Amino acid sequence: MKQPIVGYHLDEEGHWVAELACGHCQHLRHQPPWTERPWVLSAAGRRSRLGLLLGCVKCDRGEPRDLPDPE
């Protein structure tokens, strides 16, 4: 199921993670490498990708949210 990117955060290893509207997270460190995706490295680049739809395997599997429920 495709979900829009609503934000980003750094994980404990310093890798950028996309936060999806469904409450799941997806690392941006995987293929293709950052050298082919320079937008990951700048705040403006990451903002430019807000709303981009990503496939969410966790939704497809019915996994619980990674992020806390919004209040």
Side-chain angles (χ1 to χ4, degrees), residues 4-67:
I5 297 173
V6 296
Y8 300 92
H9 67 269
L10 285 170
D11 70 6
E12 61 279 349
E13 296 175 4
H15 298 286
W16 283 104
V17 178
E19 300 169 358
L20 305 180
C22 59
H24 292 121
C25 296
Q26 183 170 314
H27 278 91
L28 301 175
R29 64 181 177 205
H30 303 300
Q31 299 298 325
W34 282 3
T35 57
E36 295 176 24
R37 295 179 303 167
W39 61 269
V40 173
L41 300 176
S42 73
R46 289 187 300 278
R47 275 193 309 273
S48 75
R49 301 299 174 123
L50 290 175
L52 181 75
L53 296 176
L54 296 179
C56 183
V57 176
K58 291 179 179 181
C59 277
D60 295 338
R61 294 190 296 228
E63 293 185 22
R65 297 170 57 93
D66 296 319
L67 300 171

